[in-house]
Amino acid sequence: TSITSAKIQVNGVHLHYQQTGEGSHAVLLLPGMLGSGQTDFGPQLKSLNKQLFTVVAWDPRGYGKSIPPSRDFPPDFFERDAKDAVDLMQALKFKKFSLLGWSDGGITALIAAAKYPNLIQKLVVWGANASVTQEDVRIYNGIRDVSKWSEKVKKPLEELYGHKYFAETCEAWVDGISRFAENSDGNICQQLLPDIKCPTFIIHGEKDPLVPQAHAEYIHKHIKGSRLLLMPEGKHNLHLRFAEDFNREVENFLR
């Protein structure tokens, strides 16, 4: 089946999304920092089972093709993304749906699952964290300067945004997410985890250089009945690098 691209007005902005498949189980893919459906989920849009699932990948406001507005990082940017994501799926007339969230998109998905329990069927998160430690801040500052990124990771984002927007938004993200470290326990959404009632699957790459494994273990411990899968060779982008294994695990969980 082909992949359609469109925009729809949600909460005063025009959100861009891609959609494919005709299955009865709707699934929303939530990208990471600076990400879009196109840059973050190629293998999932292409290969997730189109008979079982209707797959939607969105570009959060200020990312991908959901510009304008420009991306900003107020203290509630994760809550804003969670509301946008849920409202987008409702605008597309999906009554219930599952969430697959990567990195920042995983944090957004955790918040959405906790706050809108009647709408969310199942939840899969990977490379996500519910708090920010001083160690995390050190890691974030290590990626602040995009000129030091590998060509492979940098190129698609420079093509999508142009160098200036890409570089400035990355710096703004580092500042925005680092502010959570000032909260008690570095809290982003720790208090919401016990509110997540849907079946939850947490995947973590044991070689993830951006998100220490303790984050995945914390989320697993605080979401009742959740399942944790550790991928020994997985890094932060395990769903791209090991797309076949990842897709298979996720499909089995969502069935």
Side-chain angles (χ1 to χ4, degrees):
T1 359
S2 61
I3 298 171
T4 59
S5 292
K7 281 188 160 184
I8 189 166
Q9 188 163 352
V10 176
N11 299 328
V13 294
H14 288 90
L15 295 176
H16 177 262
Y17 66 95
Q18 291 169 286
Q19 185 172 329
T20 185
E22 59 261 1
S24 59
H25 189 156
V27 176
L28 177 66
L29 309 176
L30 299 96
M33 175 263 278
L34 278 164
S36 64
Q38 169 196 336
T39 53
D40 287 14
F41 296 116
Q44 284 69 45
L45 284 163
K46 183 166 170 252
S47 304
L48 283 175
N49 188 314
K50 310 278 166 97
Q51 277 66 55
L52 289 179
F53 306 111
T54 297
V55 181
V56 178
W58 81 308
D59 300 358
R61 62 170 73 200
Y63 285 163
K65 293 179 181 163
S66 296
I67 302 173
S70 293
R71 182 70 183 186
D72 62 349
F73 299 95
D76 67 343
F77 74 91
F78 284 118
E79 279 84 4
R80 181 180 68 183
D81 282 350
K83 185 171 176 10
D84 281 348
V86 166
D87 291 350
L88 166 75
M89 290 301 275
Q90 293 201 291
L92 295 176
K93 303 286 186 273
F94 296 110
K95 288 187 173 60
K96 286 194 82 158
F97 44 92
S98 292
L99 301 174
L100 269 65
W102 177 38
S103 200
D104 269 18
I107 301 172
T108 301
L110 291 168
I111 293 169
K115 289 195 162 181
Y116 308 95
N118 302 334
L119 301 175
I120 310 306
Q121 258 174 287
K122 292 186 177 183
L123 172 65
V124 183
V125 296
W126 66 103
N129 45 303
S131 64
V132 174
T133 66
Q134 288 305 323
E135 163 69 358
D136 295 327
V137 172
R138 194 186 60 73
I139 294 170
Y140 301 149
N141 277 303
I143 63 165
R144 175 187 287 275
D145 179 357
V146 298
S147 68
K148 294 178 179 159
W149 288 27
S150 79
E151 205 47 48
K152 191 173 169 231
V153 178
K154 191 166 63 175
K155 196 164 180 261
L157 292 168
E158 278 196 328
E159 283 171 3
L160 182 60
Y161 293 116
H163 179 76
K164 185 172 185 280
Y165 188 91
F166 168 43
E168 288 174 358
T169 306
C170 182
E171 286 196 24
W173 175 82
V174 172
D175 293 337
I177 197 155
S178 297
R179 276 199 298 269
F180 289 103
E182 297 158 17
N183 295 346
S184 125
D185 293 333
N187 178 48
I188 303 175
C189 63
Q190 289 170 316
Q191 75 293 355
L192 292 175
L193 299 181
D195 296 343
I196 297 175
K197 303 294 185 237
C198 65
T200 300
F201 186 20
I202 301 137
I203 305 174
H204 193 77
E206 292 189 36
K207 294 184 174 174
D208 189 331
L210 287 174
V211 180
Q213 192 169 312
H215 285 300
E217 288 165 353
Y218 182 94
I219 294 168
H220 173 47
K221 187 179 161 191
H222 290 87
I223 299 178
K224 208 178 161 191
S226 64
R227 190 179 142 211
L228 174 63
L229 171 69
L230 297 174
M231 291 176 71
E233 293 304 310
K235 293 187 180 174
H236 195 58
N237 65 346
L238 57 86
H239 66 298
L240 302 176
R241 178 82 176 66
F242 301 105
E244 221 170 290
D245 294 349
F246 174 87
N247 287 357
R248 187 181 58 248
E249 289 285 352
V250 167
E251 284 187 0
N252 289 339
F253 171 73
L254 292 176
R255 278 171 196 273

